[in-house]
Amino acid sequence: MPRTFASAEDQSPWRRRFEVIYLALRQRITTLEYAPGARLDIDLLSNEFGVSRTPVRNVLQRLDLESLVRTRHGVGTIVAPLDLEDFRQAARLRIELASLIGKFPATGIAASALESLTRVSGDVALLADTRDAIVFARIDMQVHDVIGTVVGNALMRRVFDEMYFRTARLRFHLLAEQAWDHEVSLLAKDMELLRDAMVRDDLDGVGALVGNSIQDTFTRMQPFLERLESRPFQPLN
């Protein structure tokens, strides 16, 4: 069996190659650079990353298990379609997981996490002018990464990540239909409150903020969800 799920402490060349490819493909799928239904060519990806086919296959296997791609005999690997039921289940689980953040704290909040959040906060101001949904998506993913650093339980962190990426594609897909300035202002406000809670080392507060933000985001999305399956996919920008 391939070492697809080697320990995060494994710093071998295999692990580093896997992580580079995995993170790159996951970001492209999440920001909809790779549209639902798009075929992922193993040979092209192998050439791009300068590796053999095996590391790429291992990454696609992992993404398949996370429901971001689908691999079928005779067809190959395609980006998974946007699935409303999977989205709803993952969203509910994300809210419950957020409430547990304070129960599994990391050993203190790293200064680097606060620095990252401060730096990303500066990027949010650019969104008012660029109105670029891909930039919005990348900022949101960076905020999620910062939140993950305060989770001290490795298994919870892994599930927390997976549920985020199961829901994020649909979130970003619907951005164009929502009130852009309002969504940007809410993102900026959430980040401000999150940073305040992290400065106080208030992980229960972090969990409450994250859970409320997820709930509010998905509540705002509800009017758009029912129409999703009845129209063709439109990529970001």
Side-chain angles (χ1 to χ4, degrees):
M1 179 176 179
R3 296 168 60 240
T4 305
F5 300 108
S7 166
E9 285 71 36
D10 177 9
Q11 293 301 311
S12 66
W14 177 91
R15 178 72 190 188
R16 291 196 294 271
R17 284 196 303 271
F18 178 90
E19 287 296 320
V20 167
I21 301 167
Y22 170 69
L23 294 175
L25 296 189
R26 188 176 66 174
Q27 176 168 304
R28 294 174 192 179
I29 292 168
T30 304
T31 60
L32 306 174
E33 180 181 343
Y34 290 164
R39 183 174 176 274
L40 301 182
D41 188 298
I42 292 178
D43 290 326
L44 290 178
L45 291 170
S46 297
N47 289 335
E48 176 186 349
F49 290 101
V51 297
S52 68
R53 293 164 58 91
T54 299
V56 176
R57 284 199 189 98
N58 289 340
V59 168
L60 295 179
Q61 179 187 26
R62 168 80 172 267
L63 294 171
D64 194 334
L65 290 173
E66 294 176 354
S67 295
L68 293 178
V69 304
R70 291 181 178 176
T71 302
R72 297 291 182 267
H73 180 69
V75 176
T77 300
I78 63 169
V79 177
L82 296 170
D83 187 316
L84 276 176
E85 184 54 33
D86 185 76
F87 168 83
R88 291 189 178 104
Q89 291 189 28
R92 288 193 289 267
L93 183 52
R94 282 187 66 195
I95 293 168
E96 294 303 319
L97 287 171
S99 70
L100 298 176
I101 287 176
K103 304 295 189 297
F104 299 101
T107 306
I109 294 176
S112 59
L114 289 170
E115 291 171 3
S116 296
L117 197 57
T118 300
R119 183 174 62 255
V120 176
S121 295
D123 295 337
V124 173
L126 303 175
L127 290 173
D129 297 324
T130 62
R131 303 183 72 85
D132 188 325
I134 292 179
V135 174
F136 186 108
R138 288 174 179 166
I139 291 173
D140 194 79
M141 284 189 283
Q142 290 176 63
V143 174
H144 168 76
D145 285 342
V146 171
I147 295 168
T149 64
V150 308
V151 179
N153 183 291
L155 291 178
M156 178 179 163
R157 170 70 187 274
R158 179 168 160 183
V159 177
F160 187 69
D161 280 345
E162 181 177 338
M163 293 306 107
Y164 171 82
F165 286 99
R166 281 177 178 261
T167 58
R169 284 196 304 156
L170 185 52
R171 158 79 166 130
F172 303 143
H173 175 59
L174 293 176
L175 267 177
E177 299 187 36
Q178 296 179 277
W180 178 265
D181 290 341
H182 186 55
E183 293 300 317
V184 171
S185 68
L186 289 174
L187 175 61
K189 184 63 175 178
D190 285 346
M191 292 170 66
E192 178 185 346
L193 294 174
L194 179 62
R195 188 181 188 285
D196 288 345
M198 292 177 70
V199 167
R200 299 194 306 271
D201 205 24
D202 179 9
L203 296 189
D204 286 326
V206 169
L209 286 167
V210 172
N212 288 337
S213 178
I214 295 168
Q215 181 65 70
D216 290 346
T217 296
F218 297 142
T219 297
R220 295 194 306 278
M221 291 171 62
Q222 287 304 318
F224 308 98
L225 293 178
E226 294 180 359
R227 302 199 301 269
L228 180 65
E229 293 178 319
S230 64
R231 64 170 187 247
F233 171 80
Q234 294 294 328
L236 296 180
N237 293 347

